[in-house]
Amino acid sequence: MGEFHIRSLTHAQGEIQYVTHPRLWGHGLGTAIGRQLLHIGFHQHGMHRIYATCDPRNAASAAVLNKLGMTHEGHLRHTMELRDGWRDSAIFSILATEWRTNTSS
Ligand SMILES: CC(C)(COP(=O)(O)OP(=O)(O)OC[C@H]1O[C@@H](n2cnc3c(N)ncnc32)[C@H](O)[C@@H]1OP(=O)(O)O)[C@@H](O)C(=O)NCCC(=O)NCCS
């Protein structure tokens, strides 16, 4: 399942989040959900930039975001406090122009 959030209407900024059942990992479902969420964000809501964050240790999520054509922008420090301490987030984004180029080829 996935969620698309409008984070700023003024600046046309959105965020995607997704999760798939472990039994289904590695079959392309996460990428398909992400692609559909980006389609919704750019085509239905007119976003200019859509971003996603993930745990920097989450290689599968980073692989999905790369496959979606998103660019790794960097690390946000100490965004979440978990049981084993503070965790950073990797942040990725894609612009509407990049999405249009990727989907038209
Ligand atoms: C991230 C997640 C959604 C991926 O779902 P999925 O259905 O397995 O995604 P896909 O099959 O489309 O792609 C997974 C990719 O990760 C790669 N991958 C998996 N484990 C990996 C690892 N340890 N190192 C590097 N790549 C890895 C797979 O090879 C695949 O890439 P490929 O198609 O190029 O081979 C799923 O693992 C999940 O729900 N995780 C928990 C929640 C989460 O992290 N959500 C993302 C935060 S927004």
Side-chain angles (χ1 to χ4, degrees):
M1 66 173 217
E3 293 179 359
F4 166 72
H5 299 270
I6 296 173
R7 295 303 186 199
S8 168
L9 263 181
T10 308
H11 301 291
Q13 305 284 310
E15 178 177 7
I16 60 170
Q17 296 171 336
Y18 47 80
V19 60
T20 57
H21 193 284
R23 278 207 303 265
L24 301 173
W25 285 359
H27 296 284
L29 190 58
T31 306
I33 293 169
R35 193 168 288 122
Q36 191 61 34
L37 293 172
L38 292 177
H39 180 86
I40 290 167
F42 287 126
H43 294 274
Q44 292 182 21
H45 297 285
M47 292 290 105
H48 175 73
R49 171 178 171 271
I50 298 178
Y51 66 89
T53 63
C54 68
D55 187 325
R57 296 164 295 190
N58 187 344
S61 189
V64 167
L65 297 171
N66 279 315
K67 285 195 288 179
L68 292 172
M70 299 180 82
T71 299
H72 181 227
E73 294 182 335
H75 274 50
L76 305 172
R77 298 188 301 164
H78 286 203
T79 51
M80 285 184 198
E81 189 174 20
L82 304 178
R83 267 173 298 187
D84 57 348
W86 285 95
R87 200 209 85 182
D88 293 349
S89 290
I91 182 163
F92 292 71
S93 76
I94 182 166
L95 305 179
T97 48
E98 296 167 340
W99 170 255
R100 277 197 288 275
T101 302
N102 293 351
T103 51
S104 67
S105 56

